[in-house]
Amino acid sequence: SSDLLDLGYKFSPKLSGLFNVFRIDIEHPIKYEGDLNVYTNSGHIQSRGLEAELLARFNGWVTQSSLEVLSGQ
């Protein structure tokens, strides 16, 4: 299962922002083990996090600032 919240806002023609929060849960994923050339069922995999981004455009230049926080098993 997964949940996602994705929000964006244009503050002005030259400044915009993006924010998202996510949670992904996968039960019994199939994993490929390349060194053994086999596929196996794995346990529970989970990833959670948030990301924020600010984008500014000035005189043909683009400046981007990002924040990312992740947690996983």
Side-chain angles (χ1 to χ4, degrees):
S1 72
S2 64
D3 298 310
L4 175 67
L5 171 65
D6 199 2
L7 300 170
Y9 188 76
K10 191 170 189 177
F11 300 102
S12 73
K14 295 184 177 187
L15 184 65
S16 61
L18 174 68
F19 178 77
N20 71 52
V21 178
F22 61 90
R23 187 195 73 184
I24 301 170
D25 289 308
I26 303 173
E27 293 289 337
H28 309 293
I30 297 173
K31 177 174 66 171
Y32 175 68
E33 297 180 35
D35 55 336
L36 300 174
N37 196 30
V38 296
Y39 292 89
T40 58
N41 285 345
S42 227
H44 181 243
I45 294 177
Q46 181 181 62
S47 181
R48 300 179 261 194
L50 63 90
E51 299 171 325
E53 181 176 288
L54 188 61
L55 187 63
R57 295 176 182 92
F58 296 103
N59 299 324
W61 290 90
V62 176
T63 303
Q64 178 178 335
S65 178
S66 299
L67 165 69
E68 184 173 320
V69 179
L70 300 172
S71 169
Q73 299 178 17

